[in-house]
PDB file of all heavy atoms in Angstrom:
ATOM      1  N   ASP M 643       4.230 -36.286  51.913  1.00  0.00           N
ATOM      2  CA  ASP M 643       2.834 -36.179  51.863  1.00  0.00           C
ATOM      3  C   ASP M 643       2.186 -36.817  50.613  1.00  0.00           C
ATOM      4  O   ASP M 643       2.940 -36.867  49.580  1.00  0.00           O
ATOM      5  CB  ASP M 643       2.412 -34.665  51.905  1.00  0.00           C
ATOM      6  CG  ASP M 643       1.065 -34.402  52.492  1.00  0.00           C
ATOM      7  OD1 ASP M 643       0.386 -35.349  52.811  1.00  0.00           O
ATOM      8  OD2 ASP M 643       0.713 -33.159  52.691  1.00  0.00           O
ATOM      9  N   ASP M 644       0.990 -37.225  50.718  1.00  0.00           N
ATOM     10  CA  ASP M 644       0.249 -37.705  49.526  1.00  0.00           C
ATOM     11  C   ASP M 644       0.954 -38.785  48.740  1.00  0.00           C
ATOM     12  O   ASP M 644       0.836 -38.859  47.510  1.00  0.00           O
ATOM     13  CB  ASP M 644       0.004 -36.498  48.555  1.00  0.00           C
ATOM     14  CG  ASP M 644      -0.779 -35.456  49.241  1.00  0.00           C
ATOM     15  OD1 ASP M 644      -1.465 -35.661  50.233  1.00  0.00           O
ATOM     16  OD2 ASP M 644      -0.745 -34.266  48.700  1.00  0.00           O
ATOM     17  N   PHE M 645       1.533 -39.707  49.507  1.00  0.00           N
ATOM     18  CA  PHE M 645       2.252 -40.817  48.774  1.00  0.00           C
ATOM     19  C   PHE M 645       1.226 -41.713  48.046  1.00  0.00           C
ATOM     20  O   PHE M 645       0.246 -42.078  48.690  1.00  0.00           O
ATOM     21  CB  PHE M 645       3.087 -41.654  49.784  1.00  0.00           C
ATOM     22  CG  PHE M 645       3.848 -42.763  49.121  1.00  0.00           C
ATOM     23  CD1 PHE M 645       5.025 -42.546  48.373  1.00  0.00           C
ATOM     24  CD2 PHE M 645       3.398 -44.091  49.086  1.00  0.00           C
ATOM     25  CE1 PHE M 645       5.668 -43.534  47.760  1.00  0.00           C
ATOM     26  CE2 PHE M 645       3.963 -45.104  48.416  1.00  0.00           C
ATOM     27  CZ  PHE M 645       5.189 -44.792  47.753  1.00  0.00           C
ATOM     28  N   GLY M 646       1.481 -42.013  46.856  1.00  0.00           N
ATOM     29  CA  GLY M 646       0.539 -42.872  46.049  1.00  0.00           C
ATOM     30  C   GLY M 646      -0.464 -41.980  45.226  1.00  0.00           C
ATOM     31  O   GLY M 646      -1.282 -42.598  44.474  1.00  0.00           O
ATOM     32  N   SER M 647      -0.412 -40.732  45.287  1.00  0.00           N
ATOM     33  CA  SER M 647      -1.308 -39.938  44.507  1.00  0.00           C
ATOM     34  C   SER M 647      -0.781 -39.728  43.042  1.00  0.00           C
ATOM     35  O   SER M 647      -1.611 -39.602  42.186  1.00  0.00           O
ATOM     36  CB  SER M 647      -1.510 -38.525  45.149  1.00  0.00           C
ATOM     37  OG  SER M 647      -0.276 -37.778  45.081  1.00  0.00           O
ATOM     38  N   LYS M 664       3.142 -40.350  54.345  1.00  0.00           N
ATOM     39  CA  LYS M 664       1.666 -40.265  54.543  1.00  0.00           C
ATOM     40  C   LYS M 664       1.035 -40.794  53.264  1.00  0.00           C
ATOM     41  O   LYS M 664       1.102 -40.257  52.160  1.00  0.00           O
ATOM     42  CB  LYS M 664       1.237 -38.858  54.776  1.00  0.00           C
ATOM     43  CG  LYS M 664       1.875 -38.268  56.016  1.00  0.00           C
ATOM     44  CD  LYS M 664       1.458 -36.795  56.182  1.00  0.00           C
ATOM     45  CE  LYS M 664       0.054 -36.769  56.674  1.00  0.00           C
ATOM     46  NZ  LYS M 664      -0.385 -35.308  56.969  1.00  0.00           N
ATOM     47  N   LEU M 665       0.214 -41.920  53.515  1.00  0.00           N
ATOM     48  CA  LEU M 665      -0.468 -42.578  52.307  1.00  0.00           C
ATOM     49  C   LEU M 665      -1.600 -41.660  51.900  1.00  0.00           C
ATOM     50  O   LEU M 665      -2.379 -41.234  52.750  1.00  0.00           O
ATOM     51  CB  LEU M 665      -0.996 -43.877  52.693  1.00  0.00           C
ATOM     52  CG  LEU M 665       0.051 -44.987  53.039  1.00  0.00           C
ATOM     53  CD1 LEU M 665      -0.678 -46.284  53.382  1.00  0.00           C
ATOM     54  CD2 LEU M 665       1.094 -45.161  52.022  1.00  0.00           C
ATOM     55  N   ASP M 666      -1.657 -41.327  50.613  1.00  0.00           N
ATOM     56  CA  ASP M 666      -2.717 -40.474  50.094  1.00  0.00           C
ATOM     57  C   ASP M 666      -4.117 -41.149  50.301  1.00  0.00           C
ATOM     58  O   ASP M 666      -4.262 -42.307  50.222  1.00  0.00           O
ATOM     59  CB  ASP M 666      -2.530 -40.229  48.659  1.00  0.00           C
ATOM     60  CG  ASP M 666      -3.361 -39.156  48.178  1.00  0.00           C
ATOM     61  OD1 ASP M 666      -3.335 -37.985  48.682  1.00  0.00           O
ATOM     62  OD2 ASP M 666      -4.293 -39.387  47.260  1.00  0.00           O
ATOM     63  N   LYS M 667      -5.125 -40.229  50.532  1.00  0.00           N
ATOM     64  CA  LYS M 667      -6.460 -40.754  50.794  1.00  0.00           C
ATOM     65  C   LYS M 667      -6.984 -41.464  49.663  1.00  0.00           C
ATOM     66  O   LYS M 667      -7.820 -42.350  49.720  1.00  0.00           O
ATOM     67  CB  LYS M 667      -7.387 -39.731  51.403  1.00  0.00           C
ATOM     68  CG  LYS M 667      -7.431 -38.457  50.657  1.00  0.00           C
ATOM     69  CD  LYS M 667      -8.432 -37.460  51.450  1.00  0.00           C
ATOM     70  CE  LYS M 667      -8.582 -36.144  50.879  1.00  0.00           C
ATOM     71  NZ  LYS M 667      -7.367 -35.226  51.153  1.00  0.00           N
ATOM     72  N   GLU M 668      -6.668 -41.042  48.423  1.00  0.00           N
ATOM     73  CA  GLU M 668      -7.200 -41.635  47.245  1.00  0.00           C
ATOM     74  C   GLU M 668      -6.684 -43.133  47.128  1.00  0.00           C
ATOM     75  O   GLU M 668      -7.351 -43.966  46.639  1.00  0.00           O
ATOM     76  CB  GLU M 668      -6.794 -40.876  46.019  1.00  0.00           C
ATOM     77  CG  GLU M 668      -7.466 -39.502  45.875  1.00  0.00           C
ATOM     78  CD  GLU M 668      -8.928 -39.618  45.874  1.00  0.00           C
ATOM     79  OE1 GLU M 668      -9.498 -40.516  45.167  1.00  0.00           O
ATOM     80  OE2 GLU M 668      -9.554 -38.814  46.532  1.00  0.00           O
ATOM     81  N   PHE M 669      -5.448 -43.214  47.529  1.00  0.00           N
ATOM     82  CA  PHE M 669      -4.764 -44.532  47.517  1.00  0.00           C
ATOM     83  C   PHE M 669      -5.597 -45.495  48.350  1.00  0.00           C
ATOM     84  O   PHE M 669      -5.839 -46.578  47.936  1.00  0.00           O
ATOM     85  CB  PHE M 669      -3.433 -44.306  48.116  1.00  0.00           C
ATOM     86  CG  PHE M 669      -2.397 -45.398  47.705  1.00  0.00           C
ATOM     87  CD1 PHE M 669      -2.199 -45.809  46.440  1.00  0.00           C
ATOM     88  CD2 PHE M 669      -1.547 -45.872  48.782  1.00  0.00           C
ATOM     89  CE1 PHE M 669      -1.234 -46.797  46.188  1.00  0.00           C
ATOM     90  CE2 PHE M 669      -0.641 -46.875  48.470  1.00  0.00           C
ATOM     91  CZ  PHE M 669      -0.485 -47.281  47.118  1.00  0.00           C
ATOM     92  N   LEU M 670      -5.976 -45.056  49.473  1.00  0.00           N
ATOM     93  CA  LEU M 670      -6.668 -45.880  50.393  1.00  0.00           C
ATOM     94  C   LEU M 670      -8.015 -46.191  49.784  1.00  0.00           C
ATOM     95  O   LEU M 670      -8.581 -47.325  49.806  1.00  0.00           O
ATOM     96  CB  LEU M 670      -6.886 -45.144  51.658  1.00  0.00           C
ATOM     97  CG  LEU M 670      -7.304 -46.022  52.866  1.00  0.00           C
ATOM     98  CD1 LEU M 670      -6.217 -47.051  53.173  1.00  0.00           C
ATOM     99  CD2 LEU M 670      -7.455 -45.127  54.158  1.00  0.00           C
ATOM    100  N   ALA M 671      -8.621 -45.190  49.202  1.00  0.00           N
ATOM    101  CA  ALA M 671      -9.987 -45.334  48.642  1.00  0.00           C
ATOM    102  C   ALA M 671     -10.003 -46.399  47.501  1.00  0.00           C
ATOM    103  O   ALA M 671     -10.949 -47.156  47.360  1.00  0.00           O
ATOM    104  CB  ALA M 671     -10.534 -43.978  48.054  1.00  0.00           C
ATOM    105  N   ARG M 672      -8.913 -46.411  46.796  1.00  0.00           N
ATOM    106  CA  ARG M 672      -8.857 -47.376  45.677  1.00  0.00           C
ATOM    107  C   ARG M 672      -8.709 -48.853  46.212  1.00  0.00           C
ATOM    108  O   ARG M 672      -9.033 -49.789  45.466  1.00  0.00           O
ATOM    109  CB  ARG M 672      -7.573 -47.068  44.823  1.00  0.00           C
ATOM    110  CG  ARG M 672      -7.903 -46.162  43.633  1.00  0.00           C
ATOM    111  CD  ARG M 672      -6.683 -45.924  42.743  1.00  0.00           C
ATOM    112  NE  ARG M 672      -5.726 -44.991  43.270  1.00  0.00           N
ATOM    113  CZ  ARG M 672      -4.449 -44.945  42.946  1.00  0.00           C
ATOM    114  NH1 ARG M 672      -3.967 -45.809  42.126  1.00  0.00           N
ATOM    115  NH2 ARG M 672      -3.651 -44.007  43.518  1.00  0.00           N
ATOM    116  N   VAL M 698       1.693 -43.109  58.040  1.00  0.00           N
ATOM    117  CA  VAL M 698       0.411 -42.453  58.436  1.00  0.00           C
ATOM    118  C   VAL M 698      -0.567 -42.666  57.273  1.00  0.00           C
ATOM    119  O   VAL M 698      -0.253 -42.316  56.115  1.00  0.00           O
ATOM    120  CB  VAL M 698       0.616 -40.982  58.731  1.00  0.00           C
ATOM    121  CG1 VAL M 698      -0.745 -40.342  59.095  1.00  0.00           C
ATOM    122  CG2 VAL M 698       1.578 -40.770  59.793  1.00  0.00           C
ATOM    123  N   GLU M 700      -3.842 -41.459  55.479  1.00  0.00           N
ATOM    124  CA  GLU M 700      -4.770 -40.209  55.492  1.00  0.00           C
ATOM    125  C   GLU M 700      -6.159 -40.712  55.054  1.00  0.00           C
ATOM    126  O   GLU M 700      -6.306 -41.728  54.302  1.00  0.00           O
ATOM    127  CB  GLU M 700      -4.289 -39.272  54.450  1.00  0.00           C
ATOM    128  CG  GLU M 700      -3.044 -38.452  54.973  1.00  0.00           C
ATOM    129  CD  GLU M 700      -2.702 -37.296  53.978  1.00  0.00           C
ATOM    130  OE1 GLU M 700      -2.664 -37.623  52.726  1.00  0.00           O
ATOM    131  OE2 GLU M 700      -2.563 -36.188  54.327  1.00  0.00           O
ATOM    132  N   GLY M 701      -7.174 -39.958  55.404  1.00  0.00           N
ATOM    133  CA  GLY M 701      -8.513 -40.172  54.852  1.00  0.00           C
ATOM    134  C   GLY M 701      -9.175 -41.390  55.417  1.00  0.00           C
ATOM    135  O   GLY M 701      -9.908 -42.126  54.676  1.00  0.00           O
TER     136      GLY M 701
END
Side-chain angles (χ1 to χ4, degrees):
D643 206 356
D644 300 341
F645 182 78
S647 66
K664 299 179 77 178
L665 299 183
D666 190 62
K667 51 182 176 285
E668 291 305 317
F669 198 49
L670 196 62
R672 269 186 280 159
V698 176
E700 286 189 307

